[in-house]
C-alpha cells in the first residue's frame, strides 16, 4: 500500500515522533499578522529617510571580531560579554578567522565607508535596518536577536547635522503616532576636556569606593565614564554627586552644544540636559542624546545616538567627523502598541470562489490580470478528490479572509465570459442589492471598483 500523503507530507506510522524544536532563547519569530506592523514601520522609515535624503546601506551580518573590538571598545558590555563570536576555518591552511555576528551596525557601516572610499566626494547620509545580536538576559524590550534602524551622517562637523538627525527621529515619532517620549541630551566635549574630568571623576569614585559595585570597581581606571551609565540603582547617589563633564567643556565645545540647542528650540523640540548621559569611549565626542519613554519599564530608551568624530580614524580610515543614532525596533513597536495609532492589518480586496475545479486554469488567468492591475486577490485553495469544497465552506473562508468582495467563478457566469462580483462588507453588502456580472476579458473596466 502506498504511503498516505497529507498536505504534501509523507506519514510513516512506524517512525518515532521527532522532538519538537524551538527557536533559540531570546530570538523571536515575527509572524503574521504582527509582521504587518513591522512592514508598516519599515515603509514609514524608508519614506521618511528619502525625504531627508538618507540612502540605504546594507552590510554583512558577520564581520571580523576585531572590527567590533576596535569600533565599540574593549571595556564595554557588548565586547566584554555580549558578542556571538566563533572561529571559522579560513581558506588559508590551518588558520582560523575570528568572526562575530554584528551586535550593532555603526562599526560595520564605517568599515564599509572606508573600504569603498565613500567619502571621496564629500559627506554621506546613510540609513540601515536589520537584525543585531547580543547575548543579554532576555526580558521585555531586551532580546538576543533584536532589530535596529539607524541613521548616520559622515563627513559633516557642524551641529546642524546633529540637529537634522534629531529632527528626523522626532518626525518619525510623529508619523508613528508617538508623543510619549522625551529627549535627553548632553555633550561629551573633546578628549582633552574629558581627560581633565576623568581625573576628578576617578578621585570622586575612589572617595566613595564602598558605594561601587564590582563592575564599577573594575572599570574605575579603564573606563570610569561608563560607570555613570550604570543600571544599578544602589549606585544612584554616588553617580548623581559625581563631577559633571559638561562643566569641563571649553568654548568651542560649548558653542557646538549651544548651536544644537538653538536649532532644537527653534523647531519646538523639547529637550532636557542629562549630565550623566555618556558614551564611554574616546572616539565619541560632543553631542550625545537619547529618546526615552516611561511607558516601557526598565527598557525605556527607544533611540540613542551621538557624535563619533574619531571613530573613522580608529577603524583605519582618513579622519572625518560623523554622527548618528540607532533605534530599537522592538521597543518602538511596543510603544506603538501602548500608545500609537491603530495599524490597519492587511486584508485582500477580493476572494475568488471557485465552485468547480475544472475552472481553475481559466480563473487563474483572470486573477493574474487583476493582480497585475493592483488588486489583491486570495484564491480559494484546498482541492481534494471531492472538488474545491462546498459553496458554503468557500464563502466562510471568503468571510474569514476579510475581503471586501467575493468573485464567484460559477459555471453559468463562466459560460457567458463573466464573473459574479459580490460585495461582502460595508454599505454595499448591506444594501444587498448588488451582485454584478463583470467581463473576464476586460479586467481594467472593473478592477478599480475592487481596490476602492
Ligand atoms: P541599553 O542601555 O538598553 O542596554 P544600549 O546602550 O546597549 O541600550 P545601543 O547600543 O545604544 O543600546 O542601541 C540603540 C538602541 O537599540 C537602544 O536604545 C535600544 O532601543 C535598542 N537595543 C539595544 N539592545 C537591545 C536588545 N538587546 N534588545 C532590544 N533592543 C535593544
Ligand atoms: Mg546594552
Amino acid at each position: 500500500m502506498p504511503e498516505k500523503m497529507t498536505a504534501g507530507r509523507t506519514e510513516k506510522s512506524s517512525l518515532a515522533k521527532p522532538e519538537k524544536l524551538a527557536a533559540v532563547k531570546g530570538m523571536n519569530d515575527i509572524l503574521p499578522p504582527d509582521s504587518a506592523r513591522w512592514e508598516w514601520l519599515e515603509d514609514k522609515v524608508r519614506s521618511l529617510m528619502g525625504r531627508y535624503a538618507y540612502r540605504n546601506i546594507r552590510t554583512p551580518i558577520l564581520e571580523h571580531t576585531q572590527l567590533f573590538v576596535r569600533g565599540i571598545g574593549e571595556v564595554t558590555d557588548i565586547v566584554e560579554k555580549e558578542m556571538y563570536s566563533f572561529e571559522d576555518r579560513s581558506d588559508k591552511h590551518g588558520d582560523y578567522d575570528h568572526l562575530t555576528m554584528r551586535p550593532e551596525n555603526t562599526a560595520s557601516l564605517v568599515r564599509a565607508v572606508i573600504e569603498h572610499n565613500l567619502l571621496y566626494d564629500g559627506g554621506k547620509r546613510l540609513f540601515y535596518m536589520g537584525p543585531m545580536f547580543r547575548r543579554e538576559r532576555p526580558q521585555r524590550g531586551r532580546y538576543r536577536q533584536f532589530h535596529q534602524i539607524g541613521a548616520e551622517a559622515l563627513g559633516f562637523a557642524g551641529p546642524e547635522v546633529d540637529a537634522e538627525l534629531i529632527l528626523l527621529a522626532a518626525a518619525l515619532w510623529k508619523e508613528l503616532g508617538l508623543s510619549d517620549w522625551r529627549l535627553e541630551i548632553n555633550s561629551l566635549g573633546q578628549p582633552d576636556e574629558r581627560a581633565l574630568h576623568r581625573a576628578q571623576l576617578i578621585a570622586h569614585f575612589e572617595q566613595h569606593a564602598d558605594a561601587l559595585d564590582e563592575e564599577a570597581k573594575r572599570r574605575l581606571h579603564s573606563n570610569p565614564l561608563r560607570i555613570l551609565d550604570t543600571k544599578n540603582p544602589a549606585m544612584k547617589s554616588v553617580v548623581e554627586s559625581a563631577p559633571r563633564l559638561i562643566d569641563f567643556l571649553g568654548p568651542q565645545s560649548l558653542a557646538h552644544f549651544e548651536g544644537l540647542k538653538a536649532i532644537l528650540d527653534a523647531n519646538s523640540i523639547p529637550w532636557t540636559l542629562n549630565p550623566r548621559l555618556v558614551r564611554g569611549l574616546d572616539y565619541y565626542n560632543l553631542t550625545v542624546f537619547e529618546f526615552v519613554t516611561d511607558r516601557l519599564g526598565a527598557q525605556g530608551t527607544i533611540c540613542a545616538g551621538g557624535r563619533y568624530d574619531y571613530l573613522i580614524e580608529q577603524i583605519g580610515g582618513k579622519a572625518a567627523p560623523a554622527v548618528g543614532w540607532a533605534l530599537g525596533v522592538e521597543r518602538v513597536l511596543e510603544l506603538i502598541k501602548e500608545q500609537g495609532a491603530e495599524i490597519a492589518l492587511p486584508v485582500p480586496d477580493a476572494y475568488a470562489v471557485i465552485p468547480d475545479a475544472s475552472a481553475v486554469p481559466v480563473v487563474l488567468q483572470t486573477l493574474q490580470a487583476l493582480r497585475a492591475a493592483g488588486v489583491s486577490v486570495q484564491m480559494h485553495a484546498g482541492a481534494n478528490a471531492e472538488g474545491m469544497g462546498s459553496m458554503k465552506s468557500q464563502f466562510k473562508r471568503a468571510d474569514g479572509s476579510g475581503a471586501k468582495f467575493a468573485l464567484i467563478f460559477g459555471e453559468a457566469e463562466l459560460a457567458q465570459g463573466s464573473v459574479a462580483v459580490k460585495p461582502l462588507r460595508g454599505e454595499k453588502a448591506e444594501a444587498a442589492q448588488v451582485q454584478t456580472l463583470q467581463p473576464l476579458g476586460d479586467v481594467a473596466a472593473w478592477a478599480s471598483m475592487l481596490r476602492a
Side-chain angles (χ1 to χ4, degrees):
M1 211 179 127
E3 287 156 355
K4 199 168 100 195
M5 297 286 290
T6 315
R9 271 177 291 123
T10 313
E11 267 179 19
K12 278 191 194 152
S13 50
S14 59
L15 271 184
K17 216 173 173 192
E19 212 178 300
K20 273 200 189 129
L21 291 172
V24 175
K25 182 177 163 193
M27 307 203 174
N28 300 311
D29 298 310
I30 299 157
L31 310 171
D34 205 42
S35 50
R37 305 171 64 244
W38 287 69
E39 293 183 303
W40 174 84
L41 171 65
E42 289 159 3
D43 286 349
K44 295 260 180 209
V45 168
R46 277 194 198 97
S47 152
L48 195 66
M49 293 291 177
R51 280 176 273 153
Y52 284 74
Y54 281 64
R55 305 298 171 217
N56 187 227
I57 180 167
R58 303 171 190 222
T59 61
I61 290 195
L62 288 178
E63 297 275 358
H64 294 287
T65 301
Q66 203 50 35
L67 173 66
F68 301 117
V69 175
R70 271 203 266 164
I72 300 172
E74 249 162 306
V75 191
T76 55
D77 285 349
I78 294 179
V79 173
E80 279 182 347
K81 55 192 185 198
E82 295 175 359
M83 294 207 298
Y84 283 96
S85 300
F86 64 97
E87 289 184 343
D88 187 30
R89 196 174 315 157
S90 100
D91 300 332
K92 280 175 268 153
H93 184 70
D95 267 355
Y96 286 86
D97 283 332
H98 294 269
L99 303 183
T100 294
M101 294 172 75
R102 64 182 187 194
E104 53 101 57
N105 212 155
T106 302
S108 319
L109 179 146
V110 167
R111 196 252 326 124
V113 163
I114 297 168
E115 190 168 335
H116 305 287
N117 198 20
L118 288 192
L119 299 183
Y120 78 100
D121 62 347
K124 284 281 171 299
R125 293 171 164 93
L126 301 169
F127 80 94
Y128 60 80
M129 326 193 196
M132 311 295 157
F133 304 84
R134 298 184 193 178
R135 191 185 284 102
E136 303 198 65
R137 190 168 70 76
Q139 55 197 289
R140 183 188 186 199
R142 196 176 289 289
Y143 309 100
R144 291 184 167 182
Q145 174 171 335
F146 64 102
H147 297 75
Q148 284 184 339
I149 293 172
E152 319 265 2
L154 303 99
F156 307 103
E160 74 280 5
V161 190
D162 310 22
E164 175 178 90
L165 279 158
I166 291 175
L167 292 175
L168 166 51
L172 180 61
W173 311 143
K174 189 162 183 203
E175 298 219 347
L176 300 178
L178 299 178
S179 55
D180 208 346
W181 51 265
R182 60 177 191 280
L183 169 65
E184 299 186 349
I185 59 175
N186 193 18
S187 176
L188 302 181
Q190 298 292 5
D192 54 331
E193 294 156 349
R194 279 218 297 282
L196 292 175
H197 170 254
R198 180 190 159 105
Q200 297 212 10
L201 191 62
I202 292 175
H204 169 82
F205 286 134
E206 275 174 344
Q207 260 169 32
H208 301 92
D210 44 336
L212 302 183
D213 62 16
E214 284 313 307
E215 188 176 77
K217 281 182 186 147
R218 207 158 32 77
R219 289 179 174 178
L220 183 56
H221 291 278
S222 57
N223 199 344
L225 209 53
R226 268 276 155 174
I227 299 176
L228 298 176
D229 197 24
T230 180
K231 294 186 173 77
N232 183 353
M235 286 178 50
K236 194 164 187 260
S237 97
V238 68
V239 159
E240 273 175 8
S241 58
R244 305 179 341 154
L245 178 48
I246 192 98
D247 299 326
F248 291 75
L249 302 194
Q252 277 196 340
S253 294
L254 286 174
H256 187 104
F257 201 35
E258 292 307 317
L260 169 64
K261 291 193 275 193
I263 301 172
L264 296 180
D265 290 342
N267 286 276
S268 306
I269 304 289
W271 54 267
T272 51
L273 174 72
N274 176 355
R276 283 169 301 281
L277 193 60
V278 294
R279 290 269 186 277
L281 301 159
D282 286 348
Y283 41 78
Y284 289 108
N285 64 319
L286 298 173
T287 311
V288 283
F289 57 89
E290 284 190 0
F291 288 91
V292 188
T293 179
D294 293 325
R295 293 252 193 166
L296 298 178
Q299 272 59 252
T301 302
I302 52 172
C303 176
R307 247 190 196 278
Y308 51 95
D309 289 343
Y310 303 96
L311 178 60
I312 298 179
E313 206 175 2
Q314 173 89 21
I315 292 183
K318 186 162 153 262
V323 52
W325 54 245
L327 66 79
V329 177
E330 284 83 355
R331 293 186 194 177
V332 168
L333 285 172
E334 186 78 14
L335 187 57
I336 290 171
K337 256 193 193 151
E338 289 279 322
Q339 70 136 152
E342 278 294 317
I343 299 166
L345 296 174
V347 291
D349 297 316
Y351 189 98
V353 172
I354 311 170
D356 195 301
S358 67
V360 165
V362 177
V363 169
L364 284 191
Q365 287 176 21
T366 304
L367 301 195
Q368 287 296 85
L370 283 170
R371 289 158 177 161
V375 181
S376 150
V377 194
Q378 184 171 330
M379 172 190 76
H380 182 78
N384 60 24
E386 277 104 64
M388 295 294 285
S390 71
M391 288 296 269
K392 191 172 161 216
S393 72
Q394 292 202 36
F395 270 104
K396 212 170 145 194
R397 298 260 173 206
D399 250 338
S401 75
K404 294 186 295 285
F405 294 92
L407 309 177
I408 308 158
F409 292 89
E411 201 181 338
E413 288 91 356
L414 289 174
Q416 308 174 44
S418 47
V419 53
V421 178
K422 180 177 157 59
L424 295 174
R425 287 187 159 64
E427 286 160 35
K428 283 180 194 154
E430 253 135 61
Q433 18 120 353
V434 271
Q435 172 167 322
T436 59
L437 275 186
Q438 300 295 344
L440 294 179
D442 186 14
V443 161
W446 50 283
S448 64
M449 170 178 102
L450 302 179
R451 268 191 273 117

